[in-house]
Every structure is written in C-alpha cells, then in structure tokens.
Amino acid sequence: MAILTAKIPEEMAGMRLDQCLAEMFPDYSRSKLQTWIKSGRVTVNQKTLKAKDKVDGEELVELDAEAEEVMEYEAEDIPLDIIYEDDSILIVNKPAGLVVHPAVGHWHGTLVNALLNHAPSLKTLPRAGIVHRLDKDTSGLLMVAKTLKAHHSLSTQLQERSITREYLALVKGWMTAGGTIDEPLGRHPADRKRHTVREDGKHAVTHYRLEKRFKRNTLIRVKLETGRTHQIRVHMAYINYPLVGDPVYGGRFQMPANCSKELEQVLRAFKRQALHATRLGLQHPETDEYCEWELPMPEDMAHLLEVLEKDELD
C-alpha cells in the first residue's frame, strides 16, 4: 500500500472527482480510480466522496493506491549498469541501443525486461517504475521508482520541472553562443514516428550553452525545462544545428570537406545521435534531500571528440 497525496489544482474547480483524479494520477486508469473511490480508498479533505461529486479546487486528496501486478512483460537476464540504488529509487546508466519500453518490434531485450529481472516487485508499478524515457540511441542517466510513493513523488517533480536533467550533445556547425529554444512540439503531420515544431504542439523549452567548439562542430550542454519526445533532437535541428549521427533529424549524411581519414572512418561508424544524459538531480522521495549524479560521456562519443581534436591540428 502507498498513500499518495496531492492538492487539487484551482483550475479543476467544478470537475467531477473521477475526472480530476484521472488527470492528477495519469498512471492509473479511470476505472481503477473509480473503483478506489467506491471502496473508500480516496479521501478529499479527509471525507469520502462519490465519483460524480464536483470539486472546489485546492482540496487535499489522499489516495490509498493498491500495489498489484500491472506489467505483462517478461523478466530477462540483461546486464544493468546501476549507478545508485536504495529501497525507493534506482539510477541506471542506459547504454545507446537499448530500448526502454517494450513495444511493437521490441517486446524483448528492453530496459523494462532487465529491470523486472533485477527487481521483480517493479511489476506492481506503472511502467515498471520508469517515470521518464531516453530514446533508444541516447545514452546516460535514467531514474526508476521502486515504490508507488516514490513513483508519485518523481512524477510530480517532473511535472513541476524541479528535476535537473542535463545532456551533452555534439551538433553539426560552429555555434557562436548559447541560448534558449521555446517552440511547441507535436507529431509530424506526414510521419507519425517523427516530431516537429508546430503551433498546436505542446510547450517545450530547451536551454543550451557551449562546452567546446571544433572546426565544424560544437559540443553543447543542454538543460531541459520540459521533456517532450525527441525534444533536443527536434529543437536543435529546428535552429539548423542538428545532432551528429542523428538518422531522423540530421539530414543527409555528408562527409566534411578536407577531413582526416581517421575522422572519416569514425563518422561513418557513428550510427547514433551524439546525445548523452550526463547529469540528473532530484529530491529523494523518502529523505527529501537533493541528490545528484553525473556521468562522463560513453566511449563512442569520447572517441569521436578525441578524433575531432586531432583533426583540428591537421
């Protein structure tokens, strides 16, 4: 059992209780929430209400969430690079190439399958405790909740934008300064697998600053204010600095003019977007202390930078 608490936002005044809860606790189905309301597992200002009762806003909701198996995926013995673990949270270093969630074409061999093998109790949590994602070919830090209380806490921190998420990205082009991209993102109208800047999209803000400049490329440190699908990749391509190696948003592959043979070989072999989740910071769900982790770039990105450095001297 886990008691989840939250205050009903003022803008939800006049809504039905079940509608309210469906927005406040999106990891649970509306039918499940209605069942819990009926059985008295939900209180509003310490009173039990009916699903159809209207709320005034600003009330304190307490939800006695019941742990039950919600995952249908198989546990698989896949190695995990665990950076930190306690009874509440798990921080992993996801390698490039590992899919996070099972989906069509990737039912096995995912991070979820690995997590269920490492900690079988995660099958009682929404999405096996994963509260944010990294693209298949993005490497780096990813947080996992191990309890319902921790899951709610981390999800709330994400919504309130209080979690620190920084990435290192290598882009095409020579940048002169950092900046902020504030452009809404949504699905591409012609290609459901792609995302794009569009007026009716979801609010998305990306901050970036320069780390190092090369002849034709720039290493940047990116801080996310929001967490939309492919956000960094789409935003950087939008301002004409696409990520090196990005097969979707990077445009047609072109070998830089007059580059060394070694750089040519490394660029041809680099088959993923050059993006690494390097820093993650959060309030611990149990202790409320601020915790932060930082990881250096993986070997493939670090080697690419070394070769770019050498190319500067040629």
Side-chain angles (χ1 to χ4, degrees):
M1 306 289 180
I3 304 296
L4 308 181
T5 60
K7 185 177 278 190
I8 296 176
E10 194 176 345
E11 59 267 24
M12 289 188 182
M15 288 176 63
R16 286 171 52 121
L17 176 60
D18 57 349
Q19 292 175 323
C20 229
L21 296 185
E23 290 196 25
M24 293 170 65
F25 302 98
D27 290 315
Y28 302 105
S29 67
R30 189 151 163 192
S31 61
K32 171 61 72 178
L33 290 166
Q34 287 171 335
T35 300
W36 286 344
I37 293 170
K38 271 186 192 176
S39 61
R41 302 177 77 94
V42 177
T43 61
V44 180
N45 283 349
Q46 299 185 326
K47 296 178 183 176
T48 55
L49 301 178
K50 294 179 179 176
K52 65 181 181 182
D53 287 343
K54 303 287 175 63
V55 301
D56 298 321
E58 300 292 314
E59 299 101 318
L60 181 68
V61 172
E62 291 191 348
L63 169 63
D64 185 1
E66 184 178 12
E68 57 185 37
E69 288 199 16
V70 293
M71 297 297 298
E72 300 174 0
Y73 308 117
E74 292 179 23
E76 294 179 38
D77 188 6
I78 300 167
L80 283 173
D81 184 2
I82 297 172
I83 304 302
Y84 175 84
E85 182 175 16
D86 61 24
D87 291 339
S88 299
I89 58 174
L90 179 66
I91 308 297
V92 300
N93 177 18
K94 188 193 87 67
L98 182 65
V99 174
V100 173
H101 285 281
V104 176
H106 290 286
W107 293 117
H108 301 283
T110 73
L111 180 61
V112 164
N113 300 116
L115 287 170
L116 292 176
N117 181 71
H118 174 74
S121 62
L122 291 175
K123 67 176 61 174
T124 66
L125 297 180
R127 302 182 186 93
I130 296 172
V131 291
H132 71 127
R133 299 187 185 199
L134 293 177
D135 294 338
K136 174 189 173 186
D137 289 324
T138 298
S139 58
L141 292 162
L142 188 141
M143 60 186 170
V144 180
K146 294 179 68 179
T147 66
L148 282 171
K149 179 181 177 181
H151 191 276
H152 179 60
S153 171
L154 297 179
S155 298
T156 300
Q157 290 180 55
L158 271 177
Q159 290 167 4
E160 294 174 349
R161 301 177 188 172
S162 61
I163 285 180
T164 299
R165 284 176 295 165
E166 290 187 4
Y167 295 73
L168 289 172
L170 183 68
V171 301
K172 297 178 184 178
W174 202 80
M175 282 187 167
T176 56
T180 295
I181 307 166
D182 185 348
E183 295 289 348
L185 298 178
R187 286 199 183 274
H188 194 285
D191 185 349
R192 297 284 295 170
K193 293 181 180 179
R194 291 165 59 97
H195 288 70
T196 188
V197 169
R198 48 187 296 170
E199 286 185 12
D200 61 347
K202 293 181 178 179
H203 179 57
V205 180
T206 302
H207 307 281
Y208 63 95
R209 69 175 191 263
L210 307 190
E211 287 280 308
K212 187 173 180 59
R213 286 184 291 201
F214 301 92
K215 274 185 194 173
R216 317 166 187 86
N217 301 96
T218 308
L219 180 67
I220 58 174
R221 183 174 290 266
V222 183
K223 189 169 184 179
L224 286 183
E225 193 171 309
T226 54
R228 307 304 177 197
T229 302
H230 299 173
Q231 179 173 320
I232 295 172
R233 299 165 64 190
V234 178
H235 268 171
M236 298 317 297
Y238 178 73
I239 63 169
N240 297 316
Y241 290 101
L243 270 59
V244 169
D246 193 330
V248 179
Y249 304 101
R252 189 170 60 86
F253 176 77
Q254 286 182 308
M255 189 59 63
N258 303 317
C259 72
S260 67
K261 282 287 185 185
E262 186 181 12
L263 179 56
E264 180 178 342
Q265 288 176 348
V266 172
L267 286 173
R268 288 193 186 281
F270 200 88
K271 300 294 188 182
R272 71 170 180 106
Q273 62 269 7
L275 185 61
H276 174 66
T278 189
R279 180 179 292 171
L280 177 65
L282 53 89
Q283 297 295 132
H284 193 281
E286 286 295 337
T287 66
D288 210 32
E289 290 179 15
Y290 181 73
C291 305
E292 189 171 272
W293 299 269
E294 187 161 7
L295 280 179
M297 281 182 288
E299 191 176 331
D300 63 343
M301 272 185 73
H303 180 56
L304 175 55
L305 294 186
E306 284 175 16
V307 177
L308 284 171
E309 285 254 35
K310 286 169 66 178
D311 190 60
E312 296 278 299
L313 305 174
D314 292 346

